[in-house]
Amino acid sequence: MPESWVNLAEPIGSDLHVELSGPGSRRAVLIRALRDAVREGRLAPGTRLPPYRSLAADLGLARNTVADAYAELVAEGWLTARQGSGTRVAAGTSAAGAPPRRARRPAPARPAAPAHNLRQGTPDAASFPRTAWLAAARRALGAAPNEAFGPGDPRGRTELRQALADYLARARGVRTDPERIVVCSGFAHGLRLLFGGARGAGGGVLRGPFAVESYGLGFHREILEDSGVRTVPLGLDEQGARVEELAGGLRVRGVLLTPAHQFPTGGPLRAARRAAVVDWARTGGGVVLEDDYDGEFRYDREPVGALQGLDPERVVYLGSVSKSLSPAVRLGWMVLPEHLVDGVLAAKGEREAWASVLDQLTLADFIASGQYDRHIRRMRQRYRSRRDRIVTALAEHAPHIAATGIAAGLHAVLRLPPGTEASAVKAASWQGIALDGLAAFRHPRATMPAGDGLVVGYSTPAEHAYGAAVEALLRALPPADDLSVDGSSVDGSSVDGLSVEGK
């Protein structure tokens, strides 16, 4: 490779001689050249290096190559990176040679306190309906019978179970009555009650093995595994989970699905497959667990009804307020087939030990008064606007990258060219962004990868900070001419047929 001169960004304003020569990949050659510049004193401690995009342009390298080189030198201790301060030569380095001594396990490149939280799963905390919630609490406490302040019923308060039965039937097409609803503290608690808790304590009413979607939340799989339940991954495509694999020799007793909005890839389970998985459960005596984690939030059409409505005796419906209201309100629910109710109640115990009775009474009033519907409609508009802003920004500034899946939920998946996911996550950390790549959600035994992508949660940032978060995200994305970490061209077509639906 030829020698190159780099003009450092302000406030340095001087030239840097970087000799790109010798064996190895472009990334390795650049790392070696920058190390030599520090060793030889041409880059003194505290010297600010140019942004990786500027250095890439000056040297004719791929941006991800430079970002990876910077990250490696930060991990080794030659450089430091702080939000707002840029990348600098670490204090303590000298012409004598080595960087300052540090722990063998390098610190992660991601800043400890990111400026922009774009991780999935958390609603806009500032939008919690404080005034309406307080009014509901006052009404609920004023109307509560004296016995409500005694030991709690493990089923949950009858007021909440009645309100949930009415709401879920109307809004999600769930077929049930209050006697088949058991209140819990959230989805994870519901799983532990069904499968017997940590390491199979209590036995559980369900047994494994269980099929799960090949991409999903790892801690849900861990709950099953800790309960002694082996999980088997199901493939995904544009039709949703490949439920036909259940009849193809998997030998599982049940399946856990996110049919309204597959997490995290974003597609729905299509009608034919919804019918097929219910038929499989009926024929073989299996059970379907339906995680309806954000079923109310669909933006391009009316939400699809719950899978449970097809067969209430074969489908366990689980929901919570962690996405619709706040994870701080520790309330969820299970709508159970009749034959599972007694077993779940036995697992829960004689008294309510998890879900606050006062919060149950408040949520019951909040739903019955119509405030919950009004809050959902308000948040649906807000989250749709935020998703649309990402889609519009991509179309204008990064048209080679698309937000895939249906227009729904609190997150979007940005499809990336193959081979660029790890570098894009790393580049995001340099921009002060906390987010995850698709690979973070892949089942360890999944055989068919869903391709490269970023899982971008658009619900968490405050409204006034959202524009800056989107701009930082755009800076972290690989450009159209940077299709791999080493600069080589790749095919940027979509993987597994997962494509854009809606806006």
Side-chain angles (χ1 to χ4, degrees):
M1 298 182 186
E3 297 178 353
S4 299
W5 289 85
V6 178
N7 184 273
L8 295 182
E10 292 295 329
I12 305 302
S14 59
D15 288 336
L16 168 66
H17 179 72
V18 178
E19 184 175 349
L20 300 181
S21 62
S25 66
R26 298 178 185 182
R27 172 179 172 278
V29 169
L30 177 58
I31 290 173
R32 185 167 59 243
L34 291 173
R35 273 203 214 101
D36 290 345
V38 174
R39 285 195 185 100
E40 296 164 9
R42 289 182 286 115
L43 285 176
T47 301
R48 183 173 181 174
L49 272 65
Y52 73 88
R53 288 175 179 258
S54 300
L55 184 61
D58 288 339
L59 296 179
L61 298 176
R63 296 176 189 177
N64 289 329
T65 299
V66 179
D68 279 354
Y70 275 16
E72 177 66 25
L73 292 171
V74 168
E76 292 177 358
W78 295 95
L79 306 178
T80 62
R82 292 183 178 86
Q83 182 67 22
S85 180
T87 305
R88 296 179 182 272
V89 178
T93 55
S94 68
R101 191 174 185 85
R102 57 191 294 146
R104 294 185 89 174
R105 186 178 181 86
R110 179 180 292 140
H116 310 291
N117 185 359
L118 293 180
R119 284 208 168 95
Q120 59 74 35
T122 306
D124 180 4
S127 297
F128 184 81
R130 302 184 190 205
T131 301
W133 185 260
L134 179 60
R138 286 173 173 163
R139 289 191 301 267
L141 287 175
N146 291 336
E147 55 87 13
F149 302 98
D153 183 343
R155 290 178 182 270
R157 285 299 304 178
T158 183
E159 297 92 337
L160 178 56
R161 289 186 287 113
Q162 184 62 62
L164 286 170
D166 294 342
Y167 171 78
L168 294 173
R170 170 172 52 83
R172 303 297 299 125
V174 171
R175 295 159 54 194
T176 190
D177 60 67
E179 297 307 307
R180 293 168 64 166
I181 295 177
V182 174
V183 175
C184 54
S185 66
F187 182 81
H189 183 213
L191 284 185
R192 291 188 177 99
L193 290 173
L194 288 166
F195 290 97
R199 308 199 183 282
V205 298
L206 297 180
R207 298 286 193 274
F210 246 69
V212 297
E213 293 159 329
S214 58
Y215 282 74
L217 285 174
F219 83 91
H220 290 169
R221 296 193 297 266
E222 290 169 5
I223 290 172
L224 271 62
E225 300 276 357
D226 285 347
S227 299
V229 176
R230 183 172 63 89
T231 62
V232 180
L234 284 180
L236 296 168
D237 60 21
E238 72 281 359
Q239 301 284 325
R242 293 174 173 168
V243 299
E244 65 273 14
E245 296 175 9
L246 294 170
L250 288 186
R251 296 184 181 179
V252 295
R253 298 187 178 184
V255 57
L256 170 60
L257 299 173
T258 51
H261 185 217
Q262 201 286 319
F263 181 85
T265 59
L269 187 65
R270 300 299 183 179
R273 292 191 179 177
R274 290 162 69 94
V277 73
V278 170
D279 286 343
W280 167 82
R282 288 172 180 159
T283 302
V287 63
V288 180
L289 303 186
E290 178 176 12
D291 179 3
D292 199 31
Y293 69 101
D294 64 0
E296 296 102 334
F297 294 109
R298 178 121 187 206
Y299 312 129
D300 58 342
R301 49 167 289 177
E302 287 297 314
V304 175
L307 180 67
Q308 187 267 3
L310 295 180
D311 193 335
E313 291 304 320
R314 304 276 24 129
V315 180
V316 177
Y317 176 91
L318 298 102
S320 77
V321 296
S322 63
K323 303 292 188 298
S324 58
L325 278 174
S326 167
V329 182
R330 301 301 305 150
L331 288 177
W333 47 86
M334 292 179 283
V335 180
L336 297 164
E338 186 174 2
H339 68 279
L340 295 181
V341 173
D342 289 343
V344 169
L345 291 175
K348 197 173 183 187
E350 295 183 0
R351 297 183 178 184
E352 176 57 67
W354 301 92
S356 163
V357 168
L358 301 183
D359 285 343
Q360 290 185 56
L361 292 170
T362 301
L363 180 58
D365 182 278
F366 196 71
I367 294 172
S369 66
Q371 288 295 333
Y372 188 70
D373 285 88
R374 284 189 278 276
H375 174 72
I376 291 294
R377 287 195 295 270
R378 183 168 59 251
M379 298 314 297
R380 196 180 285 149
Q381 293 174 350
R382 177 166 298 183
Y383 294 151
R384 174 173 186 165
S385 173
R386 290 191 175 195
R387 188 182 191 279
D388 285 352
R389 287 175 70 177
I390 289 181
V391 172
T392 300
L394 291 174
E396 293 178 355
H397 303 290
H400 59 293
I401 294 173
T404 62
I406 58 175
L410 281 64
H411 75 276
V413 173
L414 308 191
R415 288 288 168 177
L416 302 177
T420 62
E421 180 180 308
S423 295
V425 172
K426 193 176 296 183
S429 74
W430 283 79
Q431 295 295 333
I433 302 171
L435 51 67
D436 295 294
L438 266 178
F441 303 97
R442 184 181 175 187
H443 193 292
R445 293 187 293 277
T447 58
M448 183 172 292
D452 285 26
L454 298 178
V455 181
V456 178
Y458 44 75
S459 56
T460 303
E463 194 66 27
H464 71 274
Y466 186 63
V470 173
E471 291 176 2
L473 175 64
L474 292 173
R475 292 194 294 270
L477 298 177
D481 59 349
D482 185 17
L483 298 183
S484 74
V485 294
D486 63 357
S488 60
S489 62
V490 295
D491 178 8
S493 59
S494 64
V495 177
D496 276 355
L498 299 174
S499 57
V500 176
E501 274 193 39
K503 181 180 179 183

